[in-house]
Amino acid sequence: MSAQPPRRRRLEVEDIGDVTVVNFTDKKILDEQNIQVIGEQLFSLVDELGRRKLLLNFGNVEYLSSAALGKFITLNKKLQAVGGRLILCNIDPQIYEVFEITKLNKLFNIQKEEQAALQAF
Amino acid sequence: MRDTTPVKMLDVAIASDPDEARRVQDAIEQLLKHFDYGEHDVFGVRLALEEALVNAIKHGNQMDRAKKVRISCRVSAERCDVVVVDEGPGFNPADVPDPIAVENLERPCGRGLLLMRHYMTAVEFHPPGNKVTMSKLRQAPHRNGHT
């Protein structure tokens, strides 16, 4: 049986007005176990803490895989189901290419800078 | 003194463990950097490898650590060739729904093959589908390039 994933915090969460801004502590959002933890921590913001406006800031992220994309899609669905909104910002051009290849740039609201993203809610 | 070996090889069999897969990715990234591959090439090969290894470990070997994933890699100044083989039953890539079709856009999975095919020059699955070969031809410029 595999070991339990480490429970260290993988997100830095800050409230700016009624928007919850999330920064990722990992530069590489790749590992399956880490992605699972990131997903749980993101979902709990909506399901347990009742946050409705989430801004994911990718400023620190250098790599992400398709498994991570899946978590953001599920998060987006959760927010839509409760009348909330998800916006992504500060995405490195190489990471943005991944969103373009997968056409997820059409699914997500993606803003260049955090300030513009905050105003887009 | 600079190592001028024209080809670097790596051939390993790892347990079905994401941490071991990470170490292989790191090693292959170092081989690419040894030949001064550009940032975009390194990013693409690393991402394609991640997707191939996740497929092998999670879907092929069902996270069973007793089952091995074999990775063979050959890197030169011109190209990078990788073979990943798992011990699973294989799959038919044609059965994977098109992830960019409008009706599939919100599916949380199924994008790995798309990313592998985008970032590598060639990707081929060999029946029964538990072996994938991927090749990346280096993008110009050759040296010190941010391609």
Side-chain angles (χ1 to χ4, degrees), chain A residues 31-32 66 70 77 97 101, chain B residues 22 40 51 58 106 108 118:
Chain A
D31 183 275
E32 186 74 14
S66 66
K77 281 187 191 170
E97 188 183 359
I101 297 160
Chain B
R22 192 83 51 241
H40 189 259
E51 301 293 346
K58 191 175 170 187
E106 290 196 74
H118 176 86

Side-chain angles (χ1 to χ4, degrees), chain A residues 28 30-32 62-67 69-70 73-74 77 80 94-95 97-98 101-104 107, chain B residues 18-19 22 39-40 42-43 46-47 50-51 54 58 100 105-108 111-112 114-115 118-119:
Chain A
K28 297 176 182 178
L30 292 171
D31 183 275
E32 186 74 14
E62 295 174 356
Y63 278 97
L64 59 74
S65 68
S66 66
L69 296 175
I73 290 168
T74 303
K77 281 187 191 170
Q80 284 178 341
Q94 291 200 128
I95 303 282
E97 188 183 359
V98 174
I101 297 160
T102 54
K103 306 282 186 209
L104 292 176
L107 184 73
Chain B
D19 287 338
R22 192 83 51 241
E39 194 180 317
H40 189 259
V42 175
F43 177 90
R46 175 135 199 161
L47 186 54
E50 166 72 19
E51 301 293 346
V54 166
K58 191 175 170 187
I100 58 172
L105 217 49
E106 290 196 74
R107 285 170 58 99
R111 293 176 181 80
L114 173 70
L115 293 173
H118 176 86
Y119 282 105

Side-chain angles (χ1 to χ4, degrees), chain B residues 16 55-64 67-69 84-93 95 125-132:
Chain B
S16 296
N55 283 346
I57 291 171
K58 191 175 170 187
H59 303 300
N61 289 351
Q62 302 285 310
M63 302 291 283
D64 179 353
K67 290 185 176 174
K68 301 289 184 190
V69 177
V84 177
V85 186
D86 63 59
E87 295 184 29
F91 76 111
N92 183 356
D95 292 341
F125 286 89
H126 303 268
N130 66 335
K131 174 180 176 181
V132 60

Side-chain angles (χ1 to χ4, degrees), chain A residues 71-86:
Chain A
K71 295 298 180 193
F72 304 143
I73 290 168
T74 303
L75 179 67
N76 196 40
K77 281 187 191 170
K78 277 182 181 290
L79 280 163
Q80 284 178 341
V82 294
R85 287 193 75 190
L86 174 67

Side-chain angles (χ1 to χ4, degrees), chain B residues 35-39 41 77 138-147:
Chain B
F35 287 106
D36 289 335
Y37 275 71
E39 194 180 317
D41 280 349
R138 182 195 196 117
Q139 290 179 2
H142 254 222
R143 302 193 76 78
N144 303 321
H146 181 126
T147 54

Side-chain angles (χ1 to χ4, degrees), chain B residues 61-78:
Chain B
N61 289 351
Q62 302 285 310
M63 302 291 283
D64 179 353
R65 278 187 59 88
K67 290 185 176 174
K68 301 289 184 190
V69 177
R70 182 162 204 100
I71 303 116
S72 307
C73 179
R74 183 183 188 280
V75 184
S76 70
E78 288 79 33

